Each structure stands twice: as structure tokens, then as C-alpha cells.
Amino acid sequence: MAATVDARGLSCPQPVILTINEIKSGTDPEIIVLVDTETSQENVSRAAVSHGCTVSEVMQDNEGYRIIIKKEK
Amino acid sequence: MEKADDAGVYKISDDLALIQTVDFFTPIVDDPYAFGQIAVANALSDVYAMGGVPKTAMNLAAFPVKTMDFSMLRQIIEGGLDKLKEADVALVGGHSIEDTELKFGISVTGFVHPDKFWTNHGLKDGDRLILTKPLGSGIINTAIKGGMASEAIIHDITRVMSSLNRSASEAMREMLVHACTDITGFGLIGHMAEMMPGSGCSVKLQFSSIPVMKEAIEFASMGLVPAGAFKNREFRECMVEFSEKLGPVERDILFDPQTSGGLLFSVSEKDADLALEKLLAAGCSDSSVIGEVFSDTSEKIIVKP
């Protein structure tokens, strides 16, 4: 299962804080984060890596970015 | 003056010019007294960056009367007033309005000699660049906003942001300053870049010599980089050549928008040691020679590790 964090419309640092909270307290091995700015995309990807996760995919469409984060076991 | 600079200068007589500036913003720290101090230190900085002496100030306040306790405004103004006293600047008035969002700042009037003020243009081949405060306040303020910063870090960053650039400016008054500016919203690279057009010079910065608050590195690697840093990077990236040894975090530090940052001086190579000595003796203990200027028409910023 994958958890979804919808951080669209939020300004920094909120998308990062929501992502970190999900990494720390969520139980799903995969997290999908939705953001709508390049800034948030870079920050969220960096936050994931600094918390021991991997960013497996970043997809861009006209609504923004979809970041797929895999938690390490 | 024909080019954009830190403050406006108006010549009154052969030995006196008026120097004026204004700055106000929304709170960056929760403590209202500290916010008042930072807002004042930040606004006065433009006058210090031109080698001027601030004399009078007026408060500018926007306050949400319906949703916020009035004592907040009182504490902000008290913080500002104490900072003005420290700077020997007289508060002569002010104006406040009702607004949905709290904002505070001041307008400042000062004096400077019309032939002796420092502009942000005038880099010369062989100059050394000296920065007087550590970088990282934008990133740390983002961490504070996200509730990720400890009390100790908030205390440290408040001290850095609220410290006046007065001592740095006074320490350099007898020196031959080729150019000076203060580091604020455009970050080190952005303000450096403003000094370069028409100079016929490029600059080489040494990252390891640049004073940086160590928590900023830590927070930037956690993704707590403000949107302003990305905007600054987008705008100025084309004129910067980074060493491949510098990762994205180090690069972000140089684009990080600063609140009430330090002064950046350009002085000749032979004056650099004495200038640094004077700044350190004046209590600007983070001062450091961060790079050098060399003749090169491409007007680029090169960053070495």
C-alpha cells in the first residue's frame, strides 16, 4: 500500500514537514507526495533522502509533480 | 546616482548629503521584541552599507487589531526602539494602519559625505572580498517556520539577525573601500552579482572561507530551503561557475535569502589584512576574506570548494 500526501497549494516548508511526518509515523512502505512547485519537489526529494528513504520516481504533469518515495526496511 | 544601490543619496551641500531608506516585512521569529530588533537592524543596514550615519527613523506598522493582542505591537515597537537607541538614532514619529497581516519596519534618514559614500559598484582587479556575518538565515528561518529548530538555534539566529552592521561600517570608515553592499534577500550570489556589471571583473569565491551557520547546512540537506533561494538561483545561475565538488546544499547556501545579513566589502589586496583586523577588533567576529576580484570581461562568479 502507498500513502498519499497531497501538499499542493502549500508553501514551503509545509510540504517537507508533512512528508517527514508521514515517513516517521506512517506504516506504508511507499509514499506518494503531490506538490505543485519545483521548489517543493526538490525540497521533498531531499527530505526523503535525508530520512533514509529513496526517491524512486518523480513525474511531472500539468498539475505539478508526483514524487514516489520508498521507505527503507 | 545612476545605478541601483542600497539607499538613496541626495546632496545638500559640498560636505553633506542626505541618505534615506525604508524597509518593512512580516515576522520571521515568534518573539515580538526580537522581531522589532531585527526589523530595525535590517533597515539601518542599508545606510551602514553606504558608509553613512543614520540619524532619525520613523516606524511603519501594519497590525491586525481585531485578531491580535495590542501588547504584541507594543513589544515589537519596544524591540525596535531599543535597537535604535543602541544605534544612536532618534525615533521621530511613525504611522500605523490596520491590516490582516502584521508588518513592521522603519524609514531611516542619515548623513554621509557626498564624495565619500560607498556604492555597490567599483570592484577593482586584485581586490579582496570580505563578508562580516555568517550566511544561512533564510534556511534557518524556514526551519523555524516548520517547527524544526531548537530554542538554542532560534536564539543564535536572532542574535545574528539583530546585530547592527554599525561596528563593521565604522571600522571601515578610514579605509579605502572600493565597493560595499549588504547581503539581504538576493543572497550572497545575488548581491555579489549586482556589484559586477560594468566592472570588467569576475570574482572567485572560496566556499571554505565563507562564514556559514552550520545548522543551515543541516536544514538545507533536510529540504528546508526557502522558495526565495530557488528564485535567486534561477535568476543568477547563468553567471555562476560552481566547482563540481560543491553539492546542491552548499550551492543553496550561497543563494539563500538573508534577513539583516552582513556587509560585503571590496578592498585592495594590500588593505585586506588591515581591514580584516579592524573588523575583528570591532567585534565582527565572523568576518572573513571570502574571495578575490580579477580582471575578466565575462563578469562571472566562480566558486571554488
Side-chain angles (χ1 to χ4, degrees), chain A residues 5-16 18 34-37 40:
Chain A
V5 174
D6 187 352
R8 287 172 296 184
L10 300 177
S11 62
C12 63
Q14 283 317 311
V16 166
L18 294 177
L34 306 174
V35 296
D36 49 14
T37 66
S40 297

Side-chain angles (χ1 to χ4, degrees), chain A residues 49-67:
Chain A
V49 173
S50 77
H51 283 77
C53 301
T54 51
V55 176
S56 66
E57 209 178 343
V58 177
M59 287 171 287
Q60 190 182 5
D61 60 23
N62 49 12
E63 287 194 5
Y65 300 83
R66 191 181 178 85
I67 307 158

Side-chain angles (χ1 to χ4, degrees), chain B residues 66-145:
Chain B
K66 294 191 184 79
T67 55
M68 209 176 267
D69 194 279
F70 204 69
S71 69
M72 287 285 272
L73 183 59
R74 198 170 304 128
Q75 289 178 67
I76 292 169
I77 289 173
E78 255 171 48
L81 190 58
D82 283 352
K83 202 37 87 172
L84 287 171
K85 278 184 196 153
E86 183 190 327
D88 294 316
V89 174
L91 182 70
V92 293
H95 183 68
S96 53
I97 59 162
E98 188 180 342
D99 194 353
T100 49
E101 191 179 40
L102 174 63
K103 299 176 189 83
F104 178 70
I106 53 167
S107 72
V108 190
T109 301
F111 297 142
V112 72
H113 192 287
D115 303 323
K116 288 183 185 161
F117 63 88
W118 306 329
T119 69
N120 57 9
H121 290 77
L123 299 182
K124 286 191 173 64
D125 182 30
D127 274 5
R128 295 297 187 263
L129 298 161
I130 303 177
L131 178 65
T132 65
K133 278 191 193 182
L135 301 177
S137 61
I139 292 164
I140 294 177
N141 288 334
T142 305
I144 295 175
K145 242 194 248 172

Side-chain angles (χ1 to χ4, degrees), chain B:
Chain B
M1 274 183 308
E2 60 285 356
K3 284 171 177 161
D5 218 307
D6 301 308
V9 178
Y10 183 82
K11 186 173 171 179
I12 295 174
S13 66
D14 285 344
D15 59 0
L16 188 69
L18 206 58
I19 182 163
Q20 290 177 295
T21 186
V22 58
D23 210 332
F24 64 107
F25 45 57
T26 55
I28 38 209
V29 290
D30 289 333
D31 176 0
Y33 181 85
F35 171 52
Q37 290 204 307
I38 293 165
V40 164
N42 184 65
L44 293 175
S45 179
D46 287 327
V47 176
Y48 294 131
M50 298 196 73
V53 180
K55 291 290 182 189
T56 61
M58 292 200 185
N59 280 335
L60 293 159
F63 193 75
V65 185
K66 294 191 184 79
T67 55
M68 209 176 267
D69 194 279
F70 204 69
S71 69
M72 287 285 272
L73 183 59
R74 198 170 304 128
Q75 289 178 67
I76 292 169
I77 289 173
E78 255 171 48
L81 190 58
D82 283 352
K83 202 37 87 172
L84 287 171
K85 278 184 196 153
E86 183 190 327
D88 294 316
V89 174
L91 182 70
V92 293
H95 183 68
S96 53
I97 59 162
E98 188 180 342
D99 194 353
T100 49
E101 191 179 40
L102 174 63
K103 299 176 189 83
F104 178 70
I106 53 167
S107 72
V108 190
T109 301
F111 297 142
V112 72
H113 192 287
D115 303 323
K116 288 183 185 161
F117 63 88
W118 306 329
T119 69
N120 57 9
H121 290 77
L123 299 182
K124 286 191 173 64
D125 182 30
D127 274 5
R128 295 297 187 263
L129 298 161
I130 303 177
L131 178 65
T132 65
K133 278 191 193 182
L135 301 177
S137 61
I139 292 164
I140 294 177
N141 288 334
T142 305
I144 295 175
K145 242 194 248 172
M148 307 286 282
S150 68
E151 280 303 317
I153 296 166
I154 296 173
H155 178 267
D156 284 354
I157 188 69
T158 300
R159 189 183 46 78
V160 170
M161 292 188 295
S162 65
S163 77
L164 292 172
N165 281 329
R166 177 186 188 173
S167 47
S169 185
E170 287 178 355
M172 295 291 282
R173 203 152 288 161
E174 302 309 319
M175 302 289 300
L176 184 63
V177 172
H178 290 162
C180 179
T181 194
D182 60 335
I183 307 302
T184 53
F186 299 143
L188 176 65
I189 297 272
H191 290 282
M192 183 78 255
E194 286 198 324
M195 298 173 106
M196 299 175 65
S199 68
C201 291
S202 286
V203 304
K204 198 173 3 176
L205 303 178
Q206 196 77 47
F207 187 83
S208 58
S209 305
I210 300 174
V212 178
M213 280 174 277
K214 65 176 194 305
E215 294 84 3
I217 302 259
E218 193 184 308
F219 289 134
S221 56
M222 285 169 61
L224 294 165
V225 179
F230 289 87
K231 281 185 204 140
N232 289 339
R233 185 177 77 190
E234 212 170 284
F235 187 50
R236 292 297 187 183
E237 209 165 24
C238 56
M239 63 186 292
V240 189
E241 274 173 24
F242 282 105
S243 156
E244 281 173 14
K245 288 189 181 132
L246 293 169
V249 167
E250 283 95 355
R251 296 176 192 209
D252 286 346
I253 298 279
L254 304 187
F255 291 110
D256 184 39
Q258 302 298 288
T259 299
S260 191
L263 298 183
L264 177 64
F265 290 101
S266 189
V267 297
S268 73
E269 184 187 1
K270 71 169 174 47
D271 286 347
D273 286 346
L274 180 61
L276 186 63
E277 212 173 281
K278 279 177 182 270
L279 286 165
L280 294 172
C284 307
S285 56
D286 289 299
S287 298
S288 173
V289 175
I290 63 165
E292 57 188 70
V293 179
F294 62 98
S295 185
D296 172 31
T297 51
S298 66
E299 298 182 349
K300 270 192 176 320
I301 300 172
I302 297 162
V303 190
K304 301 278 181 197

